[in-house]
Amino acid sequence: MPIAAVEPLKLAAVAVAGKGHWIAGAAMIVACYAFSLLVVEQLFVIVKPKLLTIPWFAKLWDGYVAVRTRAWRILKTAIGLPSDRKPIASSSWKRAPAVKPVLAPKSARR
């Protein structure tokens, strides 16, 4: 439904650009795409829990998330970003002792 409301506005933006108003037409097209993206994204967030109760959609969604996660890890490795995984400390590694704050002697604290 949100997409159906925005599509005529995109056609109007093309008509505006066709009349010679390129900047206004381009701005309208960008605004329409941004609006439809935001509305559809919010609509998906609202209905996602109900969609996940449908078995075929839940299976499809799990596959999509797995592929997206794998692709993101490969991309991060390729461009050198640090991984999200925390390194596992060795058993011989010990935590540094807490340092107590150094206070001035009582005679100087007046």
Side-chain angles (χ1 to χ4, degrees), residues 6-110:
V6 176
E7 288 303 317
L9 293 175
K10 291 178 186 175
L11 291 174
V14 170
V16 168
K19 294 281 185 179
H21 302 284
W22 290 100
I23 296 173
M28 283 178 64
I29 290 173
V30 168
C32 288
Y33 273 109
F35 179 75
S36 66
L37 178 71
L38 294 173
V39 169
V40 170
E41 189 270 335
Q42 284 299 313
L43 185 62
F44 180 71
V45 166
I46 292 168
V47 299
K48 181 181 165 190
K50 192 69 173 176
L51 284 172
L52 289 175
T53 62
I54 303 170
W56 66 266
F57 184 82
K59 193 173 189 178
L60 188 69
W61 182 255
D62 287 341
Y64 166 73
V65 170
V67 168
R68 180 186 64 185
T69 303
R70 187 177 305 134
W72 181 239
R73 282 187 191 150
I74 291 169
L75 179 67
K76 284 173 57 174
T77 303
I79 61 175
L81 289 176
S83 67
D84 294 335
R85 297 181 182 186
K86 293 181 182 177
I88 299 173
S90 66
S91 59
S92 62
W93 183 79
K94 294 187 178 184
R95 186 176 183 158
V99 178
K100 292 183 180 180
V102 178
L103 297 175
K106 288 185 179 180
S107 60
R109 283 192 259 159
R110 292 184 186 210

